[in-house]
Amino acid sequence: MFIADCQARLAFDLLAHTWNPVLLWTLRHGPARPADLRRRVGGISPKVLTETLRRLEHHGLVTHRRYREAPPRVEYELTALGRTLLPAIEALGDWAHTHGDDVLAAQDRAR
Amino acid sequence: MFIADCQARLAFDLLAHTWNPVLLWTLRHGPARPADLRRRVGGISPKVLTETLRRLEHHGLVTHRRYREAPPRVEYELTALGRTLLPAIEALGDWAHTHGDDVLAAQDRAR
């Protein structure tokens, strides 16, 4: 199932950018503006946020809508395809909450 | 749940190296020698394989055993902690098999 050039690699490549799953997960409740996203996801710079959103759009997982207002407003949201990735992302998050300390302890022992 | 500095980031950082989940998954059936792993995971160089195995050991997800034989033999295997990550990796792999073509199609449209 996991030969180097097979489809599963696509999923891992998607997650090879740490911010990808974080942003997908943060968008699970609905559309959000870049400023909202930066508030919810501490530690992400405007530049990295923009790059990540563009990358997720390129993969068809996120879309955006522009509102002709003054000042102009843009909102990002998950596509239907993006939503399908949430359960796998949640499984990873749950794993981290259950076993994160074990990994940190292993890292300490390895030092 | 997904603030930039929280534990879930640990899981995503683990998967930020594409070869990590591929090797963990490849080790699911039991111990394997580096040469076995390279055969099963096409496209990985000896250097990257060694680096990845070391990294997975550092995280406590893989361990190795040396056999005093001529020539010396070494086998790598999942730790109990490493095994706990298999369901989340499988969920990702399943997602890719179901939706991989949708992502590839989105990437084509985005070109």
Side-chain angles (χ1 to χ4, degrees):
Chain A
M1 175 169 154
F2 280 91
I3 311 151
D5 51 14
C6 87
Q7 267 179 321
R9 280 295 314 282
L10 179 81
F12 301 137
D13 290 346
L14 279 181
L15 296 187
H17 293 275
T18 306
W19 291 112
N20 282 358
V22 173
L23 276 177
L24 289 170
W25 185 254
T26 308
L27 283 165
R28 69 192 183 283
H29 292 313
R33 286 185 277 186
D36 304 328
L37 293 169
R38 280 194 53 218
R39 240 190 329 274
R40 290 186 219 159
V41 179
I44 192 167
S45 70
K47 178 174 174 286
V48 170
L49 175 63
T50 303
E51 284 167 6
T52 304
L53 289 169
R54 284 226 180 94
R55 194 184 310 127
L56 292 173
E57 283 197 271
H58 174 73
H59 294 315
L61 302 173
V62 161
T63 185
H64 73 272
R65 201 176 301 183
R66 283 189 193 288
Y67 295 86
R68 285 204 185 80
E69 297 170 358
R73 181 161 58 102
V74 61
E75 285 186 345
Y76 288 85
E77 65 181 310
L78 294 176
T79 59
L81 180 59
R83 285 207 164 276
T84 63
L85 197 44
L86 292 178
I89 292 173
E90 186 166 28
L92 267 171
D94 291 347
W95 177 83
H97 278 269
T98 311
H99 297 288
D101 290 343
D102 303 329
V103 174
L104 296 175
Q107 290 171 345
D108 285 344
R109 284 193 302 272
R111 273 197 193 95
Chain B
M1 177 170 155
F2 279 92
I3 312 152
D5 52 14
C6 86
Q7 265 177 324
R9 281 295 312 282
L10 178 79
F12 301 138
D13 289 345
L14 279 182
L15 296 188
H17 293 275
T18 305
W19 291 114
N20 282 358
V22 173
L23 276 178
L24 290 171
W25 185 255
T26 308
L27 284 165
R28 69 192 182 285
H29 293 312
R33 286 184 277 183
D36 303 329
L37 291 171
R38 280 193 56 219
R39 239 189 332 273
R40 291 186 217 157
V41 179
I44 192 167
S45 69
K47 177 173 175 289
V48 170
L49 175 63
T50 304
E51 284 167 5
T52 304
L53 289 169
R54 285 226 179 94
R55 193 185 308 126
L56 292 173
E57 284 196 273
H58 175 73
H59 296 314
L61 301 173
V62 161
T63 186
H64 74 273
R65 200 175 300 184
R66 282 189 194 287
Y67 296 86
R68 285 204 184 80
E69 295 171 359
R73 181 161 60 102
V74 62
E75 284 187 345
Y76 287 84
E77 65 181 313
L78 292 175
T79 60
L81 180 60
R83 285 207 164 277
T84 63
L85 196 46
L86 291 178
I89 291 174
E90 186 166 29
L92 268 171
D94 291 347
W95 176 83
H97 278 271
T98 311
H99 297 289
D101 290 342
D102 303 330
V103 174
L104 296 175
Q107 290 171 345
D108 286 343
R109 285 193 300 274
R111 273 197 194 96

